[in-house]
Amino acid sequence: MSFAEEVQQYLEKGLKELGVSLTPEQAGKIVSFLSLLREFSEPLGLTAIKDPKEIAVKHALDSLSVVRHLPDKGPILDLGTGAGLPGMIIKIARPEQEVWLVDARKKPISFLTYAAGVLGLKDIRIIQATVGRKDPLPRGYFNCVVSRAVSELPLLWELASPLLKREGFLLAMKGPRAGEEIEAFEKKFPETIVDFKEFTLPITGDRRTLVFVKGSPSSGN
Ligand SMILES: C[S@@+](CC[C@H](N)C(=O)[O-])C[C@H]1O[C@@H](n2cnc3c(N)ncnc32)[C@H](O)[C@@H]1O
């Protein structure tokens, strides 16, 4: 069985478990993206994961698990997208929504620009910038900033909050032991509204936590 066929099988199985439905075109684009990722992974140092099952679960299904929690409309930013995770998968799952992928490093940004062209994705902005350091991103513009494996919550909130609309929120993708981090965050930022959801990934059963942070209406973020 080819890499793409194997990834597709795991993806189909996992989508059922997640309760997410994609069109055949969207599923095909995800498989194509993961195949490109595998091809360019070693030369560009993009991701250490090579096994089709792990790629399907830890990259695609983990990224897809946030889609139902995203706002239906309005721009979304993936802060520290690296090889496009979760942002590229979100863009494929939400083709009509404006999605921005931002990373400080040049190589992943070149890869993502190429991949977006191959996949024919529209309304996607792929930008090399270090968020927080004279970055060119618009302030108060995004309905959601999503981020995986970039930093602890306090720094993430400091970077994300100026970019969010008043009603926007940060969605931080965390591992199984986010409780202490959330508690410490709430003490440091008592003016924020924090919520979280724990779940297990399909197929592997790995535990994950999604953390949602909003500025309180009176704090102006
Ligand atoms: C461990 S990688 C995670 C990449 C991807 N989100 C994932 O889950 O596979 C962290 C990424 O965040 C990027 N990063 C860290 N701080 C950043 C900042 N302030 N602005 C933009 N990118 C940042 C790094 O360049 C790196 O690519």
Side-chain angles (χ1 to χ4, degrees):
M1 201 185 286
S2 71
F3 171 83
E5 285 165 343
E6 250 189 278
V7 166
Q8 176 131 14
Q9 274 196 357
Y10 287 115
L11 188 62
E12 278 169 15
K13 187 168 187 282
L15 282 170
K16 277 194 196 122
E17 282 185 46
L18 270 184
V20 172
S21 62
L22 294 177
T23 64
E25 189 192 352
Q26 287 170 321
K29 282 191 179 181
I30 290 180
V31 173
S32 301
F33 172 65
L34 296 177
S35 301
L36 286 172
L37 181 56
R38 185 172 177 260
E39 185 186 339
F40 286 94
S41 173
E42 213 164 296
L44 298 182
L46 297 174
T47 164
I49 299 178
K50 292 196 182 110
D51 176 58
K53 178 171 155 187
E54 278 205 85
I55 287 193
V57 177
K58 294 195 172 156
H59 290 340
L61 294 166
D62 194 29
S63 299
L64 286 165
S65 70
V66 303
V67 172
R68 71 175 61 181
H69 302 289
L70 296 171
D72 292 335
K73 287 185 185 152
I76 294 169
L77 166 74
D78 180 8
L79 195 166
T81 189
L85 303 160
M88 195 61 138
I89 305 289
I90 290 172
K91 177 64 207 176
I92 295 171
R94 290 274 182 95
E96 305 303 328
Q97 204 153 0
E98 181 183 328
V99 177
W100 295 47
L101 311 184
V102 176
D103 200 279
R105 293 184 300 141
K106 188 169 184 224
K107 282 183 183 172
I109 291 301
S110 305
F111 164 71
L112 291 171
T113 306
Y114 170 73
V118 172
L119 299 173
L121 301 177
K122 305 271 184 296
D123 224 0
I124 181 167
R125 301 281 301 269
I126 300 168
I127 294 173
Q128 185 190 356
T130 302
V131 179
R133 269 197 230 148
K134 290 192 184 163
D135 66 70
L137 302 174
R139 268 49 191 164
Y141 181 73
F142 296 95
N143 288 53
C144 179
V145 172
V146 61
S147 191
R148 183 179 89 161
V150 172
S151 98
E152 298 249 311
L153 287 171
L155 177 58
L156 211 46
W157 180 243
E158 276 168 11
L159 297 177
S161 54
L163 307 174
L164 288 167
K165 282 182 186 152
R166 182 167 282 271
E167 69 278 15
F169 64 93
L170 167 68
L171 200 176
M173 300 169 67
K174 296 281 174 185
R177 285 176 294 276
E180 276 179 29
E181 194 183 333
I182 294 170
E183 236 174 80
F185 176 81
E186 284 181 307
K187 278 191 188 132
K188 196 167 176 198
F189 294 90
E191 76 285 6
T192 57
I193 301 164
V194 184
D195 193 8
F196 68 94
K197 283 194 167 54
E198 291 175 318
F199 69 102
T200 52
L201 282 177
I203 301 167
T204 59
D206 289 334
R207 289 170 57 212
R208 294 283 187 267
T209 312
L210 300 181
V211 186
F212 304 84
V213 185
K214 270 181 111 163
S216 75
S218 59
S219 71
N221 273 352

